[in-house]
């Protein structure tokens, strides 16, 4: 498969779309009574960025590497006493 890199115009158009879409998401959340949707969106983006960085050096076809990352980042951090994993 050949991968094409986007040109500057497409990159800018995507950035504009994301900004506009985030504004719509925030307005929709406010209209549904969600408090401080800006903070929720910022936290979501922080998590997505963190996982993008974690996955940057992992071969996405290597199920063992992906499972090891999930284990280290999710399951190993669970409190066994609170989640019944004794």
């Amino acid at each position: 498969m050949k991968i094409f890199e986007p040109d500057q115009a497409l990159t800018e158009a995507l950035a504009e779309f994301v900004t506009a879409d985030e504004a719509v998401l925030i307005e929709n959340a406010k209209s549904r009574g969600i408090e401080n949707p800006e903070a929720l969106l910022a936290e979501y983006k922080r998590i997505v960025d963190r996982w993008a960085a974690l996955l940057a050096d992992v071969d996405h076809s290597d199920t063992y590497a992906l499972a090891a990352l999930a284990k280290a980042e999710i399951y190993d951090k669970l409190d066994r006493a609170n989640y019944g994993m004794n």
Side-chain angles (χ1 to χ4, degrees):
M1 178 184 335
K2 188 170 184 176
I3 298 175
F4 295 91
E5 294 298 323
D7 64 11
Q8 187 63 31
L10 184 57
T11 301
E12 289 171 5
L14 176 61
E16 289 172 14
F17 170 80
V18 168
T19 300
D21 192 46
E22 287 177 357
V24 171
L25 289 170
I26 289 169
E27 278 308 308
N28 286 340
K30 286 180 179 178
S31 72
R32 291 181 169 94
I34 296 174
E35 295 180 18
N36 202 2
E38 297 88 354
L40 290 173
L41 181 58
E43 179 65 8
Y44 173 78
K45 289 168 57 175
R46 184 194 67 76
I47 292 167
V48 168
D49 290 345
R50 179 176 176 274
W51 275 94
L54 288 170
L55 290 164
D57 296 326
V58 176
D59 178 0
H60 294 183
S61 65
D62 183 348
T63 56
Y64 293 106
L66 293 170
L69 179 61
K71 181 180 181 302
E73 292 297 321
I74 301 169
Y75 298 107
D76 287 351
K77 295 179 180 182
L78 291 176
D79 180 358
R80 295 175 192 271
N82 288 326
Y83 293 101
M85 298 171 55
N86 297 332

